[in-house]
Amino acid sequence: MTAHNGADAASSGSSYGGKITAAVVVTCIVAASGGLIFGYDVGISGGVTMMQPFLEKFFPSVLKKTGESKHNVYCVYDNHALTAFTSSLYLAGLVASLLAVHLTASIGRRNVMILGGFTFLIGAAINGAAANIFMLILGRIFLGVGVGFSNQATPVYLSEVAPPKWRGAFNIGFEFFLGVGVVTANCINFATSRLSWGWRLSLALAAVPAIVMTIGSVLISDTPSSLVQRGKLEQAKESLAKVRGKDANIEHELEQIINSNEVTKTINQKAFKTIFEIKYRPHLVMSIAIPSFQQLTGINIIAFYAPVLFQSMNFGDDGALIGTIILGSVNLASILISSVIVDRFGRRFLLIVGGLQILLCQVTIAFLLAAELGVSGTNPISKGHATLLLILMCIYSAGFGWSWGPLSWLIPSEIFPMEIRTAGQSISIAMNFATTFILSQTFLAMLCHFKYGAFLFHAGWVAVMTIFVMFLMPETKGIHIDSMQQVWEQHWFWNRFVRPQYLGNV
């Protein structure tokens, strides 16, 4: 897609206006707080799994290996039960995200967010009171269902409510709150690590972001698109007038939403079947590729296991947790940078630059580990090189924070037409959870067998995804969510699938 075409496409979004009102800011902040529950869980898991009382109660074999005078740092935490504790949430989230497609269409985005917060609250209570591994994993399953529901509904909610001109900045609020959740969890882990029951407190406090999200969701209205889809036209008009401002001319935008809904009604097939039609091939590819690529950067692996990695590399218990706080803070700051520049420089630019930054860091980390730890993983790593490793991970985390982190939630939430929007978002979230589940379930074993090569594995994928963006990702900044079809029609490759004159040749 050329720059000229991108400018032409963007002009359609501006015709709807783009005034930022206090109502739209408050509404989007409340909705974006759904990222808190996911971020808190990502941050809390790694820190809890290195707390001695937690390991002593649930994973004594891992604790025994950490106490050995000479051990392979790559393999200390390679334990099937421990990885099941981490990854069970993502398997539950995968199933929940697929179920949520019907719920978001039938009961609305806001109500699914409320349901997600309530389910997450149940999971936090079970985990905080866990007496055995069964309760621990049961609680993780409830957490996963809550995250699956909220991750399905929240990004779509933000994209449907935000002014087209600033949709990127508002949608990145979800990733920002996710980052806040991670940093908050890291700080709580540091504060509770000295308590014999600190792990219980860390896990139980997941109830706080769940309560914040649930109460906040009750206080906001559903999106105009969702209300139109459910036949509530007057409420849709009121919702649109509220977020666009009393003086805004909302008739054009409301008409576009209604027209999109009419197109949806003319399609007799179900959304999951419709998305497999040829004309939706670009949307299907993106719904699979973008979330999968996000996880193949290896970021959640770093987030889950950073405390474990730092502890294994001579940071000590406190140093490992402090290093994780630094890592999360850098990521959070980079998300703020992304929110400022995403609607100015566009999605493609940030994905390409961020991808190259991540790639260079991962290759350097791999060579540093190879030189210091060796293949055996028993060589000591110096304090100086451990500090350099932290710096490289921070640069890596920054690259992810202003590119693949927030944009992997933004892009899938804005590219789907209404008739396949819930199905497309559901597939996207399911792919995110499926990839995360596979990687979190296998990373510790892969680290044990591949050693430093595990980072080269992810570097290879980052190279592939950066090339993918260069050639196959159209620019979507500034275009109204219900006028997005033109980006595919103007793209050099995808136009053969979406333009009527090409359909007979595919």
Side-chain angles (χ1 to χ4, degrees):
M1 181 175 174
T2 64
H4 175 70
N5 286 338
D8 290 342
S11 66
S12 68
S14 62
S15 66
Y16 293 94
K19 184 179 179 181
I20 298 177
T21 64
V24 79
V25 171
V26 172
T27 299
C28 287
I29 288 175
V30 170
S33 68
L36 279 173
I37 64 174
F38 192 21
Y40 187 90
D41 182 80
V42 169
I44 214 71
S45 301
V48 165
T49 54
M50 61 167 285
M51 293 184 184
Q52 184 172 332
F54 178 81
L55 292 176
E56 185 177 356
K57 183 173 183 62
F58 298 107
F59 308 102
S61 61
V62 174
L63 183 62
K64 181 180 179 181
K65 281 197 286 185
T66 62
E68 295 175 355
S69 58
K70 191 173 185 180
H71 55 256
N72 184 340
V73 298
Y74 294 121
C75 300
V76 171
Y77 290 87
D78 182 18
N79 180 280
H80 293 300
L82 184 61
T83 53
F85 163 73
T86 301
S87 60
S88 55
L89 179 145
Y90 300 96
L91 183 60
L94 188 160
V95 175
S97 64
L98 293 174
L99 295 175
V101 64
H102 301 293
L103 290 174
T104 51
S106 61
I107 68 174
R109 287 53 158 154
R110 186 197 72 153
N111 290 333
V112 171
M113 290 161 56
I114 294 171
L115 184 60
F118 182 73
T119 309
F120 194 90
L121 180 61
I122 295 174
I126 294 174
N127 268 357
N132 49 53
I133 292 180
F134 172 77
M135 286 186 67
L136 206 60
I137 294 180
L138 179 63
R140 295 285 291 175
I141 290 172
F142 273 96
L143 294 176
V145 172
V147 169
F149 284 158
S150 64
N151 284 12
Q152 159 76 5
T154 301
V156 172
Y157 185 103
L158 291 168
S159 287
E160 289 181 342
V161 169
K165 185 179 179 181
W166 303 107
R167 185 175 60 248
F170 278 100
N171 197 286
I172 284 175
F174 177 79
E175 179 74 11
F176 173 76
F177 275 102
L178 195 156
V180 170
V182 171
V183 174
T184 301
N186 291 336
C187 292
I188 289 173
N189 278 336
F190 181 74
T192 62
S193 61
R194 294 172 178 80
L195 303 173
S196 61
W197 46 273
W199 63 270
R200 288 193 185 277
L201 183 59
S202 291
L203 294 177
L205 283 175
V208 176
I211 292 171
V212 169
M213 189 192 96
T214 305
I215 294 177
S217 298
V218 170
L219 298 177
I220 60 177
S221 62
D222 212 341
T223 71
S225 295
S226 179
L227 291 167
V228 167
Q229 193 175 28
R230 290 181 286 142
K232 301 180 179 182
L233 298 184
E234 282 303 315
Q235 292 182 35
K237 187 174 183 178
E238 292 174 5
S239 176
L240 192 58
K242 184 177 180 180
V243 296
R244 296 292 182 259
K246 293 182 179 179
D247 300 328
N249 181 7
I250 64 170
E251 297 302 325
H252 188 194
E253 184 171 359
L254 182 61
E255 181 183 357
Q256 177 65 36
I257 295 171
I258 293 173
N259 289 341
S260 295
N261 184 60
E262 290 303 316
V263 172
T264 303
K265 288 181 179 179
T266 63
I267 298 175
N268 296 322
Q269 299 160 314
K270 293 183 179 180
F272 268 117
K273 186 176 181 180
T274 303
I275 199 173
F276 286 94
E277 292 180 3
I278 290 175
K279 63 180 179 179
Y280 299 121
R281 191 61 46 80
H283 311 78
L284 180 62
V285 170
M286 294 300 166
S287 69
I288 294 172
I290 297 300
S292 299
F293 283 152
Q294 184 199 48
Q295 296 308 311
L296 285 167
T297 61
I299 186 63
N300 272 354
I301 302 306
I302 297 296
F304 295 153
Y305 301 116
V308 170
L309 290 172
F310 290 149
Q311 187 187 48
S312 299
M313 294 169 188
N314 268 352
F315 276 70
D317 290 351
D318 288 348
L321 291 173
I322 292 173
T324 306
I325 293 172
I326 294 172
L327 202 61
S329 300
V330 169
N331 179 258
L332 187 59
S334 64
I335 294 170
L336 285 175
I337 294 173
S338 181
S339 69
V340 174
I341 65 178
V342 65
D343 290 309
R344 176 174 298 181
F345 294 101
R347 285 65 159 147
R348 294 181 75 254
F349 175 80
L350 293 182
L351 288 175
I352 293 169
V353 173
L356 293 174
Q357 182 175 338
I358 293 170
L359 175 62
L360 290 174
C361 286
Q362 285 178 325
V363 171
T364 307
I365 288 171
F367 279 105
L368 177 62
L369 292 178
E372 285 292 302
L373 297 176
V375 176
S376 67
T378 57
N379 299 335
I381 184 170
S382 66
K383 289 287 186 181
H385 283 107
T387 303
L388 177 59
L389 181 67
L390 174 60
I391 293 172
L392 286 169
M393 286 189 174
C394 285
I395 298 173
Y396 162 89
S397 184
F400 179 85
W402 58 54
S403 63
W404 283 95
L407 298 188
S408 295
W409 299 106
L410 168 61
I411 292 170
S413 73
E414 67 182 2
I415 63 172
F416 302 114
M418 189 182 290
E419 61 267 25
I420 61 166
R421 189 168 298 158
T422 54
Q425 180 69 4
S426 180
I427 292 173
S428 177
I429 298 300
M431 287 305 303
N432 185 289
F433 281 127
T435 312
T436 306
F437 170 75
I438 293 170
L439 292 175
S440 60
Q441 186 69 28
T442 59
F443 175 73
L444 291 178
M446 183 171 68
L447 182 65
C448 184
H449 291 89
F450 288 7
K451 279 74 177 183
Y452 53 83
F455 292 91
L456 295 177
F457 168 82
H458 288 292
W461 277 109
V462 174
V464 170
M465 56 205 269
T466 303
I467 294 171
F468 176 90
V469 171
M470 288 179 178
F471 291 99
L472 295 176
M473 171 64 70
E475 184 54 67
T476 56
K477 70 170 183 176
I479 303 169
H480 192 275
I481 190 171
D482 290 310
S483 300
M484 199 66 69
Q485 182 68 6
Q486 58 197 294
V487 304
W488 310 109
E489 293 176 350
Q490 296 170 358
H491 191 272
W492 71 272
F493 179 76
W494 297 120
N495 63 14
R496 69 193 66 189
F497 295 97
V498 299
R499 286 187 176 179
Q501 63 265 38
Y502 289 115
L503 295 182
N505 299 323
V506 178

